[in-house]
Amino acid sequence: MPLHLSDLLARPDLRLSVTYDVPPQQLARTIEAATVSDLPTPGKWLQGGELLMTIGLLLPMEPAACRAYVRDAAEGGAACLALGLGQGLPYQEAPEPLVRAAEEAGLPLLTVPDEVPFIAVTKAVFDARADEQRALLQRAFATQRRLTAAATGDGLRPMLAEWAAATGVGAAVLDPLGRLLATSERASRPLPAQAHELLDRVAARGLRGSASSTAAGQQLEVQPLGARRLRGLLLLTGRPDDAARSVVPGLVSLLSLELERRHLRDEPERRRRSALLSELLADEDPSADRARDMLRSVGLTAERVRGVVVAAEGAPGGRTAAGAGAAGTGSGATTGAGPATGPGLADGTGSTDRTGPTDDPGPTDGAAQEMAADLALAVPGGLVRVVDGAPGAVIEAVVGEELDIREVLARFAPRCPAGIGPATAPEAVRVSLRQAAGLLAVSRAGNAPAEARQSQASRLLLDLGDGTTLHGYADSVLGPLDLADHGEELIATLAAWLETGGAWDATSRRLGVHRHTVRNRLDKAMDLTGRRLDDPDDRFDLWLATRIRRGGAPSGGSGGFNGSGGRPAPPPPGR
């Protein structure tokens, strides 16, 4: 228990007395330390919570000077003043100006009798603080023993329940994407909105740090879990006291050990799932029923799936945002993603047979193994494997169409080339994976995951082209319209007409103007540009230029734009 001022007053051996009627809330102040000072301005030497003792050797007796002295001590953080009395000392009783100043400032003023030395008061304070620290340690040890005993049970919840019972602080374990795995409460409650922000922040940093904040008066804290890479997140809801705070590292270690234990325990299932993926891909023409049955056997029930291919070359040194360290799976045997630490989750790595020495995989191969484990953690069904590719190992995965695979890649494979195949029926997933692999070069060029879609030839051109060059091309085609009166209207009308396939009525409805207005604007645009809408080449040039403009201004600010979403800049003076 903390040492309060009332506890010192209750000790008969100290014989301390108050000099005025001190309110109960002031008597409840916590005393952190005791110190002696006869300086006229002791405030700057205090840290807060001190019992400041003085014999008043330099204490001024003018009311204004007394108020200044008391104010300096209070602003320095003193919890209480104590004046030593006795023979040979400046005061045999508390002077009235000092008492009034202390009462006005709300700072308790005590007197210490002649027969009680200041060192006795100091020892009493520090003995009480030592007892407090000893009690905190005993509580911390007891809590740690309870947690350790709970860790011998099955699962995460026994540890979380023991933690909550011992500390009064709620706890939950979530996977790296923020999905709940276990909670200290019997019934799960929705997480505060601010908790999701904290979870995302810590997950993005991997094992490199925690975060805390306060939401609606409740303290939230997130700690990363895992040994060598991120396996989960611990969310604490409440304010741990000193004893509980000292146990947090032990709780993190025990929860991390449990998550690592689950990963190792599920190794046979991970191997089975990777082998199942290899079997599915080895059949060039599987029946629809067989393909669906194979996916459903691992819990992947989506009607349509897509293939994903990731190259590990973007993870220097074998590290990803989700964590670091070797995956720990051997080569020369087929392994894969396994069952989840929670419903619909999986965790593991995949490795296919290789030729040549495999005891010392290179950096790229090690990075692929790490990323395969991290990706499998977030992929329902756990169909993930690592295969040899050029220039190095790549990761292949099969995921449901509804999964936000871009979020998963951003979290677990940042800066890594990745191809996302189109959604297909399960029996055609080989085709989706092949298309995903073909997009790795596009992803490298665009520095972002590339996704296969229908009618994306123009998008490919725009993504691969130099931004300044593309916008320069658009300016050369649309520049005359930029300089014309109402040029923005002409460009917008031209873009709408091209996007509707030259449909006059559809264009007029989209723009909210009469179709004759549309025709007049386009006639004016063609006169200014010297183009013809019935000429295929001119029509393509105009369409491509408007698409480039719709993509926004180049990063360098060139190309005749003002950076406001493709809107043309006003012409310079003299033009």
Side-chain angles (χ1 to χ4, degrees):
M1 292 292 292
L3 175 66
H4 301 292
L5 180 57
S6 57
D7 298 328
L8 289 176
L9 290 171
R11 291 191 53 158
D13 56 320
L14 298 181
R15 301 174 60 185
L16 302 176
S17 302
V18 295
T19 58
Y20 65 90
D21 189 11
V22 180
Q25 63 269 23
Q26 295 182 17
L27 294 177
R29 289 182 176 177
T30 300
I31 304 300
E32 302 289 348
T35 187
V36 179
S37 175
D38 280 307
L39 294 173
T41 55
K44 66 179 180 179
W45 305 103
L46 304 178
Q47 292 184 333
E50 291 91 353
L51 171 63
L52 177 61
M53 296 179 287
T54 179
I55 62 173
L57 187 63
L58 302 178
L59 191 65
M61 282 301 99
E62 296 81 3
C66 277
R67 285 194 292 271
Y69 171 80
V70 171
R71 184 169 58 251
D72 176 78
E75 291 176 352
C80 178
L81 280 175
L83 179 64
L85 308 177
Q87 296 295 326
L89 298 181
Y91 299 100
Q92 281 71 50
E93 62 180 14
E96 187 63 23
L98 182 62
V99 175
R100 287 199 301 271
E103 187 173 8
E104 291 174 2
L107 188 65
L109 175 63
L110 311 182
T111 57
V112 184
D114 187 20
E115 60 272 20
V116 179
F118 281 172
I119 189 64
V121 179
T122 301
K123 289 180 63 177
V125 170
F126 281 95
D127 285 347
R129 292 305 310 277
D131 290 341
E132 178 187 348
Q133 293 297 321
R134 190 160 42 248
L136 287 176
L137 287 175
Q138 290 174 348
R139 286 176 50 206
F141 287 144
T143 302
Q144 188 65 57
R145 282 195 295 269
R146 293 173 63 176
L147 291 175
T148 304
T152 61
D154 184 19
L156 300 166
R157 193 181 182 282
M159 284 182 279
L160 299 181
E162 285 293 349
W163 161 266
T167 65
V169 177
V173 174
L174 304 98
D175 82 321
L177 288 177
R179 296 173 292 196
L180 185 66
L181 300 180
T183 179
S184 59
E185 302 177 357
R186 294 191 178 276
S188 301
R189 298 181 181 179
L191 299 179
Q194 198 163 352
H196 294 286
E197 179 184 349
L198 285 181
L199 292 166
D200 289 341
R201 190 191 313 171
V202 175
R205 298 183 61 190
L207 298 175
R208 295 190 292 272
S210 58
S212 62
S213 68
T214 302
Q218 183 181 48
Q219 178 170 309
L220 304 174
E221 180 178 342
V222 177
Q223 295 281 349
L225 301 176
R228 291 180 296 177
R229 64 175 178 266
L230 188 68
R231 296 289 190 190
L233 300 162
L234 170 64
L235 173 64
L236 301 178
T237 53
R239 189 178 300 276
D241 60 16
D242 291 342
R245 171 60 55 195
S246 65
V247 182
V248 170
L251 176 64
V252 168
S253 297
L254 290 173
L255 293 174
S256 297
L257 181 62
E258 174 61 22
L259 292 180
E260 295 292 348
R261 181 189 303 162
R262 290 185 176 199
H263 170 67
L264 295 175
R265 185 177 60 209
D266 295 333
E267 175 68 17
E269 179 64 15
R270 290 196 297 272
R271 291 177 179 271
R272 184 186 75 83
R273 293 184 178 221
S274 181
L276 185 67
L277 177 57
S278 297
E279 181 182 351
L280 175 63
L281 299 178
D283 192 345
E284 295 185 1
D285 189 22
S287 67
D289 291 341
R290 181 172 183 271
R292 292 181 187 278
D293 289 343
M294 293 176 72
L295 296 183
R296 286 172 179 163
S297 69
V298 294
L300 189 55
T301 60
E303 291 297 322
R304 294 172 64 83
V305 296
R306 64 175 78 240
V308 181
V309 178
V310 183
E313 62 201 59
R319 291 181 177 270
T320 70
T329 59
S331 298
T334 302
T335 60
T341 51
L345 303 180
D347 190 8
T349 62
S351 172
T352 59
D353 292 337
R354 293 182 170 84
T355 59
T358 57
D359 293 335
D360 185 20
T364 301
D365 182 68
Q369 295 287 353
E370 287 183 18
M371 261 189 293
D374 294 332
L375 290 171
L377 182 67
V379 175
L383 291 178
V384 180
R385 69 174 187 172
V386 176
V387 296
D388 284 330
V394 296
I395 302 136
E396 293 183 345
V398 175
V399 303
E401 181 182 17
E402 71 283 355
L403 179 68
D404 188 351
I405 189 60
R406 287 185 175 272
E407 178 186 358
V408 174
L409 293 174
R411 176 66 52 80
F412 297 105
R415 302 177 301 278
C416 295
I420 305 171
T424 65
E427 63 270 19
V429 71
R430 291 180 74 252
V431 178
S432 182
L433 273 170
R434 178 169 296 181
Q435 291 180 265
L439 290 169
L440 288 179
V442 179
S443 178
R444 290 187 184 97
N447 197 30
E451 184 172 353
R453 293 174 180 160
Q454 294 181 348
S455 303
Q456 287 298 297
S458 62
R459 187 72 265 164
L460 174 62
L461 174 63
L462 297 178
D463 286 343
L464 293 182
D466 174 70
T468 302
T469 302
L470 289 173
H471 283 278
Y473 167 81
D475 286 350
S476 69
V477 175
L478 302 176
L481 303 184
D482 292 338
L483 302 178
D485 293 336
H486 307 292
E488 293 183 24
E489 288 183 352
L490 298 179
I491 294 175
T493 303
L494 176 61
W497 187 83
L498 292 168
E499 290 171 3
T500 58
W504 300 98
D505 291 337
T507 303
S508 66
R509 286 194 299 270
R510 176 181 292 192
L511 298 177
V513 297
H514 196 275
R515 65 195 306 259
H516 293 317
T517 303
V518 174
R519 186 176 296 275
N520 290 336
R521 289 179 182 177
L522 291 182
D523 288 343
K524 183 178 181 180
M526 294 307 100
D527 290 340
L528 291 171
T529 59
R531 306 275 180 162
R532 293 171 47 198
L533 291 179
D534 58 353
D535 184 286
D537 291 336
D538 285 348
R539 193 160 170 167
F540 176 78
D541 288 344
L542 293 168
W543 176 83
L544 185 59
T546 57
R547 285 296 299 266
I548 294 172
R549 284 287 181 91
R550 193 173 65 180
S555 58
S558 62
F561 292 88
N562 61 11
S564 58
R567 180 171 300 205
R575 293 185 64 183

